[in-house]
């Protein structure tokens, strides 16, 4: 039986690759896409998710509700977009062709409640962007959110370098207020941080093979563009990190990971290196709670994973060939 997944995405190359993976993989049924600002503006993200329906012609993709999420963070700032990493539309060099299809209605956030009610007790929420929309749900609909089976979050960097500052990861850095709200109120949370996602690498050889035998043509131009950014920054990098794909995989492949259950605190600075830093307490003594002067929930954090399992699952799904 496929796992039902409501995706909260900020639409970058790895978000789109994760959505393609989810649509192709029979173990996952995407039942909705909440589209937020993040890597690119919400408007562009909505256009890209709409365009995806012309790329993936399965019934599941055609019937997937597209929901407009947050346009800006809870910090009341204008977000910094990163077209140099993901492209203007989160598709690398690709611009979705203009079509007569109307953009999804921009004020349909309430539709999420119907989806959660429809799949009560069996819905997984996978948040692969900033956490603004998910935090809003916890503030406005705490009782409804108790109907969600599990929450998977791509975010954070624990005892490893960040990718926006020396210590902060992009999704938590983009809206540290929202990240703290979700980690304060949500239960059954699994955090998939840079500790593992930086190593979920798609090499050029992998992408070229998918391009040769796989069903989706946009994968190669998209990931090549994304990889170029990482290669310019570090010529030794072996390929492009598919942060969001690994996070979506965690819904069905939990046994591929090593987890630790730890209290997590997000630094609420408005600027500077420590903004959005994710801190987990691994000391056998003392406690983050005492220092923070409040109870801090423990969450499951992925600290390692089996790359071979990731490789086999990703390549089998995206190429259609058994690895
Ligand atoms: C996260 O930030 C975004 O740029 C990616 O899509 C991913 O979700 C990685 O830090
Ligand atoms: Ca993302």
């Amino acid at each position: 039986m496929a796992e039902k997944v409501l995706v909260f995405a900020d639409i970058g190359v790895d978000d789109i690759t994760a959505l393609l993976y989810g649509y192709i993989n029979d173990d996952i049924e995407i039942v909705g896409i909440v589209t937020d600002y993040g890597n690119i503006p919400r408007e562009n993200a909505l256009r890209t998710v709409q365009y995806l329906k012309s790329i993936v012609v399965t019934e599941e993709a055609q019937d997937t509700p597209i929901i407009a999420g947050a346009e800006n963070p809870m910090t009341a700032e204008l977000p910094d977009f990163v077209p140099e990493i993901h492209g203007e539309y989160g598709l690398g060099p690709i611009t979705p062709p203009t079509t007569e299809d109307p953009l999804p209605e921009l004020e349909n956030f309430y539709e999420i409640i119907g989806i959660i009610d429809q799949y009560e007790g069996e819905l997984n929420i996978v948040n692969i962007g900033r956490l603004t929309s998910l935090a809003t749900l916890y503030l406005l609909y705490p009782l409804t959110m108790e109907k969600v089976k599990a929450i998977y979050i791509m975010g954070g960097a624990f005892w490893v370098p960040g990718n926006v500052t020396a210590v902060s990861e992009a999704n938590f850095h983009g809206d540290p207020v929202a990240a703290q709200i979700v980690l304060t109120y949500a239960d059954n949370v699994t955090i998939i941080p840079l500790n593992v996602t930086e190593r979920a690498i798609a090499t050029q050889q992998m992408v070229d093979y998918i391009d040769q035998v796989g069903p989706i043509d946009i994968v190669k131009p998209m990931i090549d563009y994304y990889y170029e950014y990482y290669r310019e920054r570090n010529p030794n990098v072996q390929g492009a990190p598919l942060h969001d794909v690994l996070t979506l995989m965690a819904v069905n492949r939990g046994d591929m990971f090593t987890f630790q259950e730890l209290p997590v605190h997000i630094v609420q600075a408005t600027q500077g290196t420590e903004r959005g830093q994710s801190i987990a307490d691994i000391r056998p003594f003392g406690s983050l709670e005492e220092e923070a002067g409040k109870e801090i929930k423990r969450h499951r954090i992925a600290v390692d994973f089996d790359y071979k399992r990731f490789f086999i699952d990703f390549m089998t799904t995206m190429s259609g060939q058994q690895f």
Side-chain angles (χ1 to χ4, degrees), residues 10 15 39 128-129 244:
D10 66 330
D15 299 73
N39 295 317
I128 50 177
D244 299 340

Side-chain angles (χ1 to χ4, degrees), residues 134-176:
L134 189 54
T136 303
L137 287 167
Y138 276 102
L139 294 179
L140 298 181
Y141 295 98
L143 294 180
T144 300
M145 295 309 285
E146 288 175 12
K147 299 174 183 174
V148 174
K149 178 168 87 167
I151 305 276
Y152 294 82
I153 295 170
M154 192 281 128
F158 299 89
W159 328 293
V160 297
N163 57 2
V164 176
T165 76
V167 293
S168 294
E169 177 279 329
N171 288 336
F172 285 7
H173 183 274
D175 192 343

Side-chain angles (χ1 to χ4, degrees), residues 20-36:
L20 292 171
Y21 168 88
Y23 278 134
I24 299 170
N25 191 297
D26 293 336
D27 295 336
I28 288 171
E29 181 184 349
I30 294 176
V31 298
I33 302 173
V34 181
T35 308
D36 278 30

Side-chain angles (χ1 to χ4, degrees), residues 238-260:
Q238 297 302 304
L242 298 182
H243 309 283
D244 299 340
V245 175
L246 188 68
T247 304
L248 183 55
M249 253 185 214
V251 174
N252 272 305
R253 312 273 190 270
D255 60 350
M256 195 169 87
F257 297 85
T258 304
F259 295 108
Q260 287 191 15

Side-chain angles (χ1 to χ4, degrees), residues 158-230:
F158 299 89
W159 328 293
V160 297
N163 57 2
V164 176
T165 76
V167 293
S168 294
E169 177 279 329
N171 288 336
F172 285 7
H173 183 274
D175 192 343
V177 173
Q180 186 59 64
I181 287 170
V182 172
L183 295 180
T184 298
Y185 298 115
D187 293 312
N188 202 3
V189 170
T190 297
I191 300 174
I192 308 292
L194 294 183
N195 301 58
V196 289
T197 68
E198 279 287 2
R199 292 184 281 132
I201 292 293
T203 65
Q204 289 280 279
Q205 293 77 5
M206 291 164 67
V207 172
D208 289 347
Y209 183 76
I210 290 169
D211 186 52
Q212 282 155 27
V213 303
I216 310 274
D217 294 341
I218 63 169
V219 173
K220 177 169 172 56
M222 254 193 340
I223 298 185
D224 282 357
Y225 180 101
Y226 181 54
Y227 175 45
E228 208 38 52
Y229 168 82
Y230 280 94

